[in-house]
Amino acid sequence: MELNDLITETRKLLSLSQTKDALSLLKKFKSKYIENVEFLQIFGEVYLELGKVDKAFEFLEKSCNLDINGQYGSEKFFYLGQIIGGSKGIELIDHGISQLTTKLENNDVNDDVRKFTIKKLNQGLFAEIEIWMTDLCMEPEAETKCDELINQSLTIDESNPESWSLLTSIRISQQRDDDALQALQKSWDLFEQKKTALENNSNVNTTDNSQEISIEYVELIQPLITLSRFAIEMGQYELGGVIASNVRDIDEDNVESYYLEGFTNYLYVKKAQYDLKFPNYDAEIFDSFVIDPKLDGFKENLKQSRENLLQVLKISSQFDVDDDILNHSKFLINEIGGEDDDDEAVSNINEDNWEDEIESDDE
């Protein structure tokens, strides 16, 4: 397989969360491309996705050393900077950002190159913001730096939905809830527009799995999952569920989207029932509040939640599913109980009977 085709296929597998398959594919060509800068970078990215940071560092460091001027891209500096973190990580990311900024200032580049460069520049800006929000969050200039970087991102491309999503995260951390809600809605509007435009493109077919699906379309999955989580964090449960369900237009078996949609329906019911009993919101009381699955007016939401969460269990019987997602899904199903109000026995999902439960649900 030619290198470009190998990298394209690997990125598609990563976008579909098929990380182990991506690693297996790369290993087949390791001896052939082990001194290639781009191959080393994608190998490092895969190891990062697998959580094998030491291995990722090894490949990314070698890739950076072989291409210190960024002739073959600046992303490797961003990834390595994120691994190192702190001030040293910022220096590496700045190195990559400087290279891309110089390229962007070149008036001779065509529109496609400019678009690609802006995309990669945003990747660097996002990586740097992440460090300021984590490793360096206690530094006095952290908030100012985050605002400067996200403003830079929006200046070069205000139509980028990921920039608005990150702005949502920043405003949440700053407890600027109204601004966070505005950024959240703006991000979803732009994501929806982009998704629709890609679906209208002849390279995307959501019903025929034999047809090539564009990488740009598949790359929407993780940002949409992230945005759905922000919506849940902001108490926008209906919107969070809508965003999560849209992910399955791209990947119909995406387990996290099933989980998030199920969770949003559950939270909607929990908040509504809580409000019926308590005049004021108290986080501690809300966290310990247990829903009444038999209470009138919530049957449809609980049914939808249960169906989504049972789908998580079903997928877990065929593919690896994050333990936290799987265990929380079982917990929620157990709290929701039976599908019908007149069920005599409430479903008690546990390690021994959950497979029987999802089979009975299909009958």
Side-chain angles (χ1 to χ4, degrees), residues 11-29:
R11 292 205 178 283
K12 182 180 293 185
L13 290 170
L14 285 176
S15 298
L16 293 170
S17 299
Q18 298 174 14
T19 316
K20 291 182 179 178
D21 292 336
L23 181 62
S24 297
L25 177 63
L26 290 177
K27 283 183 174 179
K28 294 178 182 178
F29 298 90

Side-chain angles (χ1 to χ4, degrees), residues 243-357:
I243 297 171
S245 67
N246 268 261
V247 171
R248 293 197 299 280
D249 293 336
I250 309 170
D251 178 12
E252 62 182 9
D253 293 322
N254 186 277
V255 70
E256 194 165 359
S257 72
Y258 278 113
Y259 164 72
L260 289 174
E261 187 177 4
F263 192 29
T264 56
N265 274 283
Y266 164 82
L267 287 171
Y268 172 83
V269 172
K270 183 171 181 175
K271 180 64 167 60
Q273 291 192 6
Y274 174 92
D275 289 342
L276 290 174
K277 289 193 173 185
F278 300 97
N280 299 309
Y281 178 79
D282 183 284
E284 187 174 345
I285 297 176
F286 180 77
D287 289 342
S288 61
F289 182 80
V290 178
I291 67 165
D292 178 1
K294 307 249 182 224
L295 194 64
D296 289 340
F298 304 102
K299 182 177 179 180
E300 288 304 314
N301 288 100
L302 291 177
K303 180 181 178 181
Q304 183 62 56
S305 178
R306 187 175 189 275
E307 289 176 354
N308 288 135
L309 296 168
L310 283 173
Q311 195 65 27
V312 173
L313 271 58
K314 185 178 293 185
I315 293 172
S316 74
S317 67
Q318 300 173 333
F319 304 100
D320 290 336
V321 172
D322 180 84
D323 286 342
D324 289 339
I325 288 177
L326 182 58
N327 291 332
H328 195 222
S329 296
K330 293 176 186 177
F331 170 81
L332 293 174
I333 293 170
N334 191 54
E335 184 170 341
I336 291 168
E339 183 174 0
D340 299 317
D341 286 340
D342 57 0
D343 279 352
E344 292 184 4
V346 174
S347 302
N348 288 304
I349 303 295
N350 54 47
E351 293 294 335
D352 298 322
N353 73 355
W354 67 265
E355 289 182 333
D356 294 335
E357 175 65 22

Side-chain angles (χ1 to χ4, degrees), residues 91-118:
E91 289 178 11
L92 268 173
I93 296 170
D94 275 342
H95 180 66
I97 287 176
S98 176
Q99 295 167 348
L100 289 171
T101 302
T102 300
K103 188 174 184 179
L104 197 60
E105 291 170 350
N106 182 357
N107 294 324
D108 294 332
V109 299
N110 60 42
D111 288 341
D112 288 339
V113 172
R114 181 172 293 277
K115 181 180 177 181
F116 180 79
T117 304
I118 288 174

Side-chain angles (χ1 to χ4, degrees), residues 31 35 64 76 92 101 123 196 208 226 270 292 307 353:
S31 60
E35 296 299 323
C64 288
K76 50 187 168 291
L92 268 173
T101 302
Q123 184 178 343
T196 300
D208 183 1
T226 298
K270 183 171 181 175
D292 178 1
E307 289 176 354
N353 73 355

Side-chain angles (χ1 to χ4, degrees), residues 130-143:
E130 182 180 342
I131 291 178
W132 281 111
M133 292 183 72
T134 52
D135 296 2
L136 303 178
C137 66
M138 301 305 294
E139 296 297 320
E141 70 272 30
E143 185 172 339

Side-chain angles (χ1 to χ4, degrees), residues 24-266:
S24 297
L25 177 63
L26 290 177
K27 283 183 174 179
K28 294 178 182 178
F29 298 90
K30 185 175 180 180
S31 60
K32 182 177 181 180
Y33 295 118
I34 193 57
E35 296 299 323
N36 183 278
V37 170
E38 295 170 285
F39 180 79
L40 289 166
Q41 177 184 304
I42 191 68
F43 223 136
E45 289 180 48
V46 171
Y47 274 125
L48 266 184
E49 289 292 325
L50 288 169
K52 298 182 178 181
V53 179
D54 290 343
K55 293 292 292 185
F57 181 89
E58 175 187 334
F59 282 90
L60 290 168
E61 183 180 44
K62 185 175 181 180
S63 179
C64 288
N65 289 336
L66 289 174
D67 184 33
I68 194 66
N69 294 319
Q71 181 180 350
Y72 295 99
S74 299
E75 305 97 294
K76 50 187 168 291
F77 299 107
F78 304 154
Y79 291 123
L80 192 60
Q82 284 178 291
I83 292 174
I84 294 173
S87 299
K88 292 293 184 182
I90 292 290
E91 289 178 11
L92 268 173
I93 296 170
D94 275 342
H95 180 66
I97 287 176
S98 176
Q99 295 167 348
L100 289 171
T101 302
T102 300
K103 188 174 184 179
L104 197 60
E105 291 170 350
N106 182 357
N107 294 324
D108 294 332
V109 299
N110 60 42
D111 288 341
D112 288 339
V113 172
R114 181 172 293 277
K115 181 180 177 181
F116 180 79
T117 304
I118 288 174
K119 179 180 178 181
K120 295 305 175 183
L121 180 55
N122 271 322
Q123 184 178 343
L125 294 171
F126 296 167
E128 198 158 309
I129 289 172
E130 182 180 342
I131 291 178
W132 281 111
M133 292 183 72
T134 52
D135 296 2
L136 303 178
C137 66
M138 301 305 294
E139 296 297 320
E141 70 272 30
E143 185 172 339
T144 301
K145 285 291 186 181
C146 286
D147 284 339
E148 288 177 356
L149 291 164
I150 197 62
N151 286 335
Q152 183 179 348
S153 173
L154 290 169
T155 298
I156 60 176
D157 183 10
E158 66 176 1
S159 66
N160 181 9
E162 290 188 66
S163 299
W164 289 97
S165 178
L166 186 51
L167 179 60
T168 303
S169 178
I170 293 170
R171 296 297 179 250
I172 289 173
S173 69
Q174 295 170 340
Q175 298 182 324
R176 294 168 57 178
D177 292 349
D178 290 343
D179 292 337
L181 284 172
Q182 291 178 19
L184 174 70
Q185 187 61 56
K186 179 70 172 181
S187 179
W188 168 236
D189 290 343
L190 291 170
F191 267 124
E192 191 173 29
Q193 292 170 22
K194 183 175 182 179
K195 177 174 173 285
T196 300
L198 288 168
E199 287 169 347
N200 292 333
N201 188 296
S202 60
N203 290 329
V204 173
N205 187 319
T206 61
T207 59
D208 183 1
N209 291 329
S210 65
Q211 184 169 341
E212 287 292 310
I213 299 178
S214 75
I215 291 294
E216 191 175 9
Y217 188 58
V218 175
E219 285 179 343
L220 291 177
I221 293 173
Q222 287 307 314
L224 285 173
I225 290 291
T226 298
L227 192 66
S228 178
R229 287 186 173 276
F230 288 155
I232 293 171
E233 187 174 353
M234 293 295 297
Q236 303 299 301
Y237 303 135
E238 185 176 356
L239 179 57
V242 168
I243 297 171
S245 67
N246 268 261
V247 171
R248 293 197 299 280
D249 293 336
I250 309 170
D251 178 12
E252 62 182 9
D253 293 322
N254 186 277
V255 70
E256 194 165 359
S257 72
Y258 278 113
Y259 164 72
L260 289 174
E261 187 177 4
F263 192 29
T264 56
N265 274 283
Y266 164 82

